[in-house]
Amino acid sequence: MGFLRKAGADKKSDPKRLFVHPSELADKLIKELEDHKSWEGTRAWAPARYAVYLCAEDYDRLSRKLDKVRRDLVRQLYEHVEDMGYELEDDIAVEIVLDEELPLGRFGILTQSLSETPSVASPIPPVTETPRPASAAGNAVAPGSAGVAEGLAGMARLQTPVVHARKEQGPAGVQTAGQVAERVIVVRIGDEVREFRGSRVVIGRGRDVDCRIDDPGVSRRHAAIFLEGDKLMVEDLGSTNGTLVNGYPVTKTVLGPRDVVVVGQRRLRVEVR
């Protein structure tokens, strides 16, 4: 579960400025989709189940149009999937859930991927609030003592899951962790091609990194490209301007053959040989 704090969410802020807007929810849902997609060769699979947790004020304000908000969010997720050429694990389902413990100015998003063991991993550091479970019977759930695992189970009960019988594997050419040392990570920056042996490449503007990029928008230690099992990953290292994948900010995500990584003003394509 990622709990998000809206910009300017402090005690002195105008409460009206802290209300969440559906467009913000759509942007964060698409970011979650990008962070949780998985790869089968050159095919990207996008997760299909999401729960959006709203504070009492936001939930009450949107209560009369929750069905429309939900339909719009589902439509925008489908449009993003189609634009990016991703495959879907199942029909997209978005639940909007009341969490009375969330303060005004925060909302949460929980993503479930059918291709992996359900978890609460999120690129956004969690705060101390406890997420409430989604319910198969309705849109909102009164606060209770159930935990995140039950919330994911509730999401899974919304529809009969269609689990695709497929072997999980990373980008073409990536095999097993035992072969990592023999692989070469290739970083393409425009027409320039850089090759690195080993399982991890640190990108940045500093002199102590593996892949140095002379760009004022790039932090000294900006991001890392590395192999995690059979997957090629990118992770932002707390950079000032963030790391983008296909136009969306990420903290850590799987990379595929067609993904474009942006650090500063530079566009990178990464592959493994």
Side-chain angles (χ1 to χ4, degrees), residues 137-160:
N139 302 328
V141 179
S145 60
V148 175
E150 290 183 44
L152 283 165
M155 291 172 66
R157 289 195 297 270
L158 295 174
Q159 300 180 24
T160 302

Side-chain angles (χ1 to χ4, degrees), residues 117-144:
T117 303
S119 68
V120 294
S122 171
I124 305 159
V127 294
T128 56
E129 291 89 340
T130 302
R132 302 300 176 187
S135 169
N139 302 328
V141 179

Side-chain angles (χ1 to χ4, degrees), residues 204-206 212-222 239-242 263-266:
R205 187 165 46 87
R212 189 168 184 268
I213 298 178
D214 188 12
D215 183 322
V218 176
S219 297
R220 293 184 180 278
R221 292 177 63 85
H222 195 107
S239 64
T240 301
N241 296 317
V263 295
Q265 300 298 317
R266 305 299 181 92

Side-chain angles (χ1 to χ4, degrees), residues 26 31 58 93 115 119 121 142 159 200 202 214 218 232 244:
K31 179 181 181 297
D58 280 325
S115 64
S119 68
Q159 300 180 24
R200 182 178 177 88
V202 175
D214 188 12
V218 176
L232 182 62
L244 307 182

